[in-house]
Amino acid sequence: MNVSVTRSGGFAGLRRTWVVVIDDQPDTESWRDLLERLPWDNRPRGAREPDRYSYEIRYSHHHATLPEQQLTGPWRELVDRVRNTEADSTAS
């Protein structure tokens, strides 16, 4: 199973996507726990602000798009973890 995070917006309007294959991670269960903890049906909502990032998160049948200012708690934890894990795997 994959989890993907796409960041778009900012001054230049560029898109960047990070993808992690959960089943390939040594800590698969902690990934699944984090993903199940996310409030997919009750996520924070807010209007996009000019020149700020927006994050699109996909996992299984779940999908959420959050403006940068609403990326807090477990949402922030997931985004940071996906970005750091992919960065670690490409550095090897």
Side-chain angles (χ1 to χ4, degrees), residues 12-85:
L14 301 176
R15 290 176 60 90
R16 171 80 196 269
T17 299
W18 298 269
V19 178
V20 172
V21 180
I22 302 302
D23 297 328
D24 291 349
Q25 301 305 308
D27 53 348
T28 302
E29 282 306 309
S30 67
W31 278 96
R32 291 185 197 281
D33 289 344
L34 174 56
L35 288 160
E36 293 304 318
R37 255 191 7 235
L38 292 169
W40 294 101
D41 295 327
N42 190 24
R43 62 187 173 272
R45 301 197 189 275
R48 287 200 58 193
E49 295 179 12
D51 299 326
R52 300 280 306 258
Y53 289 123
S54 175
Y55 291 84
E56 181 180 6
I57 303 164
R58 292 182 179 274
Y59 169 68
S60 183
H61 64 278
H62 298 293
H63 174 256
T65 302
L66 293 95
E68 181 178 39
Q69 66 274 18
Q70 296 296 324
L71 195 68
T72 60
W75 294 107
R76 169 56 70 188
E77 182 181 348
L78 176 67
V79 167
D80 290 346
R81 192 169 181 186
V82 168
R83 291 177 62 186
N84 291 334
T85 298

